[in-house]
Amino acid sequence: MVTNNKYLSDFEAKKLICEIGRRVYNKNFVAANDGNISVKVGPNTIWTTPTGVSKGFMTPDMMVKMDLSGKVISGKLKPSSEVKMHLRVYHENPDVNAVVHAHPAVATSYAIAGISLDQPVSPEAVVILGTVPVAPYATPGTQEVPDSIAPYCKDYNAVLLANHGALTWGSDLMQAYYRMESLEHYALMLMYSNNIINKTNELNCAQISDLIDIREKMGIKTGGVPTCDNGEKVKAAEKAEPAQSNDQLIESIVRKVTEDVLRKYLK
């Protein structure tokens, strides 16, 4: 993750949270009052979204300021009970300066199915996200949720919440939001290629290795590395006899039947 020690001012943070809220709402990443957003404005302080408010209709005066222990410092409204997730990410990974939680439909469908996003099908997905694991199911708003995501906060850039939604984080709020966009786009590509087109050409080991090098040169040290067993499958297939096409198979049968008939006729 790219380390960025420059914090937004209170004014900038509240304004940007509202802007990101409108984006996630307009993209249908959330419905009604779903989702929550937070950003650091100091080593031990964040601004976060309030409970019970649509992310598409927030104003800066609604935001809640807290410290990383969960104590409210200022704000007229109450923070979301799911801010516990955000606080846990900040505690587990000090490089994180912003967190976004949403329920994008396709990515959440993978979370409902308990399927991690780890197929190497897109260079952008490998570089921006790497792999996205599924955290075990936990009751929303309880301590179970931060406990369920804790193992993933240091080594990944995003996590699916089983039967719930998705969580992304980053060195600033825009990076955390862009990772949510990339997450849903990645899930959508996998859905189309695996279940509609029914054909997926995965990147091989060498291609993945090159992309990980690019990612590291960009200063991104997290994300996980997709598996590349597809490369082995390709090699194994090359050693096997090529499969006959339908036309070749029909031609072979016709030729054999003809030979048998002629052999009997000439006797």
Side-chain angles (χ1 to χ4, degrees), residues 10-243:
D10 289 344
F11 174 81
E12 292 170 327
K14 292 187 286 184
K15 184 177 179 182
L16 188 55
I17 288 175
C18 292
E19 172 61 26
I20 298 304
R22 282 189 289 272
R23 294 191 186 198
V24 296
Y25 182 81
N26 290 336
K27 283 186 169 290
N28 294 320
F29 289 177
V30 293
N33 300 333
D34 293 347
N36 29 78
I37 304 162
S38 70
V39 61
K40 277 185 180 179
V41 287
N44 192 47
T45 53
I46 64 169
W47 281 99
T48 188
T49 48
T51 188
V53 174
S54 169
K55 303 303 158 301
F57 300 92
M58 298 186 300
T59 55
D61 61 297
M62 295 178 179
M63 300 303 111
V64 183
K65 193 173 190 178
M66 307 177 68
D67 65 22
L68 295 188
S69 72
K71 178 183 176 182
V72 174
I73 298 172
S74 64
K76 297 180 294 184
L77 303 177
K78 293 181 179 180
S80 167
S81 60
E82 292 186 334
V83 75
K84 297 183 184 77
M85 281 193 296
H86 301 238
L87 297 175
R88 189 58 172 267
V89 176
Y90 294 129
H91 282 298
E92 296 290 337
N93 192 339
D95 288 338
V96 171
N97 285 325
V99 180
V100 174
H101 168 51
H103 302 167
V106 182
T108 300
S109 296
Y110 276 87
I112 291 169
I115 301 173
S116 300
L117 302 180
D118 55 10
Q119 281 185 264
V121 297
S122 160
E124 292 78 11
V126 173
V127 172
I128 296 170
L129 294 169
T131 61
V132 184
V134 181
Y137 177 75
T139 304
T142 69
Q143 187 58 37
E144 295 174 5
V145 179
D147 290 346
S148 74
I149 67 166
Y152 309 102
C153 298
K154 290 183 180 178
D155 298 326
Y156 296 90
N157 300 318
V159 67
L160 297 178
L161 308 170
N163 301 85
H164 185 176
L167 193 71
T168 57
W169 49 85
S171 59
D172 57 51
L173 188 46
M174 289 308 300
Q175 185 182 62
Y177 166 69
Y178 284 146
R179 284 175 173 169
M180 185 64 72
E181 275 196 353
S182 296
L183 173 66
E184 178 67 352
H185 194 59
Y186 180 23
L188 187 63
M189 287 189 291
L190 289 178
M191 182 186 72
Y192 280 137
S193 59
N194 288 332
N195 302 299
I196 297 178
I197 300 173
N198 294 318
K199 182 175 176 60
T200 304
N201 294 322
E202 295 185 359
L203 301 173
N204 62 38
C205 295
Q207 292 167 332
I208 293 171
S209 179
D210 289 342
L211 293 170
I212 297 303
D213 287 342
I214 292 172
R215 188 171 77 184
E216 290 179 350
K217 288 175 182 176
M218 293 171 63
I220 302 172
K221 305 297 183 183
T222 52
V225 180
T227 56
C228 54
D229 59 347
N230 183 57
E232 297 303 319
K233 292 175 185 175
V234 170
K235 291 177 184 177
E238 289 172 350
K239 294 177 184 177
E241 290 294 325

Side-chain angles (χ1 to χ4, degrees), residues 243-255:
Q244 288 183 312
S245 68
N246 287 338
D247 290 342
Q248 289 173 322
L249 184 60
I250 292 170
E251 183 181 347
S252 174
I253 293 170
V254 170
R255 185 167 52 250

